Amino acid sequence: MDLHAAERQLQAAQRAADVAALDALLHPRLVAVGPDGAVFTKDDDLESHRSGALRITRLVEESLDVQDDGATGVTRTVAAVDAVQGGAVVSARLRYTRLWVREDGNWRVLAATLVPIE
């Protein structure tokens, strides 16, 4: 799978709260920073989807830029996102920047940031 397809697969897994797919796409040592500046790990992310603490109800990609050098890659996505987080309804445009690494032919997210934009 190419990096463009991996990014799209990740978005689909987020929309569906597909914990198994997210588990396959997120690196075990994932470190991510959310829109509020909080740092979270792969386990944190999987648990938020598994428990329903985070439920993405809409994620619409507005733009996607992919840079792939073979062993690593970066995706930059702008998306309109509606979600329920901790019981609160949230709507935002977010810029996702993800650092991907290729392991055994599969792309996995090693680092990510989610930044609100206007």
Side-chain angles (χ1 to χ4, degrees), residues 47-61:
E47 182 55 28
S48 70
H49 287 281
R50 186 180 295 114
S51 70
L54 172 63
R55 187 169 43 89
I56 296 174
T57 57
R58 184 177 74 99
L59 189 155
V60 178
E61 178 187 294

Side-chain angles (χ1 to χ4, degrees), residues 32-100:
V33 179
D36 61 355
V39 176
F40 58 95
T41 65
K42 174 180 179 173
D43 289 340
D44 297 331
D45 193 43
L46 294 178
E47 182 55 28
S48 70
H49 287 281
R50 186 180 295 114
S51 70
L54 172 63
R55 187 169 43 89
I56 296 174
T57 57
R58 184 177 74 99
L59 189 155
V60 178
E61 178 187 294
E62 295 178 6
S63 67
L64 174 58
D65 179 51
V66 176
Q67 294 178 306
D68 172 0
D69 82 351
T72 62
V74 174
T75 57
R76 286 180 301 281
T77 304
V78 173
V81 179
D82 294 334
V84 178
Q85 186 169 15
V89 175
V90 180
S91 293
R93 284 184 74 230
L94 298 173
R95 181 180 314 277
Y96 294 85
T97 303
R98 297 184 176 105
L99 171 64
W100 296 77

